[in-house]
Amino acid sequence: MPRSKEFTPEDDSLLAELGVEKTPARKASRTPREQRIIAGFEEIQRFVTENGRMPQHGEERGIFERLYAERLNRIRQQEESRNLLDPLDHQGLLADSIEDVDAPIDQLDDDALLAELGVTESSSDIEQLRHVRTAAEKRAVEEIASRQTCSDFAKFQPLFEQVQKEIDAGSRETRPFELKAEIEPGRFFIVSGQKAYVAEKNDVFTNAQGRRDARLLVIFDNGTESNMLMRSLQRALHKDKTSRRIMEAADGPLFEGSAEKGDVATGTIYVLRSKSEEPYIARNRKILHKIGVTDTSVRQRIAGARLQPTFLMADVEVVATYKLYNINRVKLEKLIHRVFVSARLKMEIPDRFGNPVAPREWFLVPLHVIDLAVEKIKDGTLVDYVYEPDKAALTPR
């Protein structure tokens, strides 16, 4: 078997005369295990970027979200993994608290994690698992399906008719369902294309999973009823992407300080100021603000700001926050950005790979004008205004 040739000093001189530099073969910088851990962590980062929140545990969550939540727990518990991933953690995922995990943490194997999550199907083709239903989802479907005729529907039918008239007249509106706290007696929902009325709610108890639950009497507009669990209705509403909560158009305040019993916190408007030393940004620092809406904590939202072009590749200062109640975060953010579109920052920032990115949530607007916009959100009139940069003021459309 031929032996590999070793270069002698004479060979080095000859190669130098020919203009050939001798470059030693590179050794692999990462072990297969390290590469696997990094790849798994990048999947979690993509989930957070796409969903704007951390992956969470829970039977009502999807297979992959639960997998990512469990994997992140394991990573946080392993000093080796934390040291490896800390330079890549631009979202601050490793800084949060560690949840208790009973199983050993000697490996980050998806097969083992899925088995702990109650998924026994083979993960050789893991993409096929996206259609696997959890036991909780199956129970929810069974409870929704197990309805019976409502013997006294005549006394509920006028309620459904009145609600529909109010929706048509605009005195009521529908909003996406979000939290189980919304499930209270006297409230209406739309699930699987049918209106549902919560007629009764029995005493709250703690179920086998340690979660609060209660038995409900739910009446449907097709004349049926169901004695279902509150968490079963919650899961059905969560699973149905078209589900809605029916509420009065002006039901509840929007901001912290005026919340009343039964109001549901749905997000936070945040206003940030950049600490970038880029000349144009530094000159306009006092009026250049990032305005956004988030359903996570602002601290979590701005973690690793200096590594993200959306934050101008620099640390930021939080200058104002406003808590939201009973409101659609996405629609509100679009409205705010539409009002201030004439003052949007027009510049490109190179990301950490050198690719140009144009941030879209930064506006050259004084803070007092943003405060005024918030006041107009409270009274429902912001939609009637636009921002005029030359006047530095909101004016009627």
Side-chain angles (χ1 to χ4, degrees):
M1 192 172 182
R3 295 182 180 177
S4 59
K5 184 182 185 302
E6 296 183 0
F7 286 98
T8 65
E10 292 79 7
D11 293 327
D12 292 342
S13 300
L14 178 58
L15 289 173
E17 290 181 10
L18 294 174
V20 178
E21 294 184 3
K22 186 182 70 172
T23 303
R26 288 187 177 180
K27 296 182 179 179
S29 59
R30 302 291 187 194
T31 66
R33 171 179 167 78
E34 289 174 335
Q35 292 174 356
R36 178 163 55 85
I37 293 174
I38 291 173
F41 188 64
E42 288 175 342
E43 289 180 350
I44 299 172
Q45 289 179 310
R46 282 194 292 273
F47 175 90
V48 173
T49 298
E50 293 171 0
N51 295 274
R53 61 177 175 82
M54 305 280 268
Q56 299 175 13
H57 297 276
E59 291 181 337
E60 70 275 15
R61 304 292 176 181
I63 291 293
F64 286 97
E65 179 172 357
R66 297 164 64 204
L67 171 65
Y68 297 152
E70 189 71 15
R71 181 188 295 163
L72 183 57
N73 260 0
R74 302 300 183 87
I75 289 174
R76 288 170 176 167
Q77 290 190 351
Q78 291 183 307
E79 183 176 358
E80 171 200 353
S81 298
R82 293 200 310 272
N83 293 338
L84 172 67
L85 299 172
D86 186 64
L88 309 176
D89 184 22
H90 60 84
Q91 296 159 304
L93 304 183
L94 303 180
D96 285 346
S97 59
I98 299 172
E99 297 183 30
D100 293 332
V101 177
D102 296 330
I105 59 172
D106 58 340
Q107 59 179 347
L108 296 171
D109 182 76
D110 285 349
D111 290 345
L113 296 184
L114 286 171
E116 288 185 16
L117 294 174
V119 180
T120 57
E121 287 81 358
S122 170
S123 61
S124 58
D125 185 5
I126 195 168
E127 290 299 320
Q128 294 181 0
L129 291 176
R130 69 183 63 188
H131 302 298
V132 177
R133 291 192 303 182
T134 65
E137 289 172 330
K138 293 175 183 177
R139 287 198 302 272
V141 172
E142 290 169 359
E143 291 216 37
I144 285 289
S146 60
R147 303 178 190 174
Q148 58 187 18
T149 301
C150 178
S151 58
D152 55 350
F153 183 69
K155 74 177 185 181
F156 295 105
Q157 188 169 5
L159 298 179
F160 288 108
E161 293 174 350
Q162 181 62 29
V163 164
Q164 186 58 53
K165 289 179 181 178
E166 292 172 354
I167 292 174
D168 294 340
S171 59
R172 282 184 185 259
E173 61 181 22
T174 65
R175 298 177 184 171
F177 172 81
E178 294 190 356
L179 301 172
K180 67 176 180 289
E182 294 180 344
I183 300 178
E184 297 292 342
R187 292 188 170 174
F188 289 85
F189 303 90
I190 298 176
V191 57
S192 300
Q194 292 183 333
K195 294 185 185 68
Y197 173 67
V198 181
E200 297 177 9
K201 178 180 178 180
N202 293 329
D203 293 340
V204 175
F205 62 89
T206 302
N207 63 20
Q209 289 74 42
R211 299 185 178 96
R212 290 166 56 82
D213 207 343
R215 182 67 64 176
L216 308 174
L217 173 60
V218 181
I219 311 298
F220 298 89
D221 63 355
N222 65 349
T224 61
E225 67 178 42
S226 176
N227 288 104
M228 63 195 314
L229 290 172
M230 179 178 69
R231 291 189 64 82
S232 295
L233 178 57
Q234 176 206 0
R235 284 190 290 265
L237 288 162
H238 245 310
K239 184 181 177 183
D240 181 4
K241 300 303 181 184
T242 63
S243 68
R244 311 287 289 179
R245 174 183 168 186
I246 302 175
M247 56 203 309
E248 295 180 9
D251 184 24
L254 294 178
F255 297 99
E256 195 170 28
S258 57
E260 298 177 357
K261 184 177 179 180
D263 290 326
V264 179
T266 53
T268 302
I269 298 176
Y270 59 88
V271 182
L272 309 178
R273 191 170 288 162
S274 177
K275 295 183 179 181
S276 171
E277 293 303 323
E278 197 280 340
Y280 181 81
I281 297 174
R283 285 197 307 272
N284 295 279
R285 197 184 311 280
K286 291 187 177 180
I287 63 168
L288 179 61
H289 296 101
K290 176 178 170 64
I291 310 173
V293 182
T294 181
D295 63 345
T296 63
S297 70
V298 177
R299 180 193 63 80
Q300 183 176 322
R301 180 70 183 91
I302 66 176
R306 66 185 180 278
L307 300 176
Q308 302 179 52
T310 188
F311 293 105
L312 305 181
M313 302 297 288
D315 289 327
V316 294
E317 171 191 4
V318 180
V319 295
T321 60
Y322 313 88
K323 195 73 176 177
L324 306 180
Y325 291 91
N326 306 329
I327 199 166
N328 185 303
R329 296 185 304 275
V330 176
K331 289 182 179 179
L332 176 61
E333 186 173 65
K334 289 181 178 178
L335 171 60
I336 295 172
H337 292 177
R338 187 168 67 245
V339 169
F340 290 121
V341 66
S342 59
R344 176 174 281 150
L345 176 66
K346 297 178 181 178
M347 68 181 300
E348 290 186 340
I349 299 292
D351 63 16
R352 58 197 181 105
F353 301 107
N355 301 314
V357 178
R360 298 183 57 80
E361 294 186 355
W362 289 87
F363 303 88
L364 294 158
V365 178
L367 184 59
H368 75 272
V369 177
I370 299 174
D371 287 333
L372 179 59
V374 169
E375 292 301 316
K376 294 191 178 301
I377 292 172
K378 290 182 181 180
D379 61 27
T381 63
L382 183 61
V383 68
D384 300 322
Y385 287 81
V386 294
Y387 179 69
E388 293 193 26
D390 56 336
K391 297 179 181 179
L394 292 173
T395 60
R397 289 185 180 276

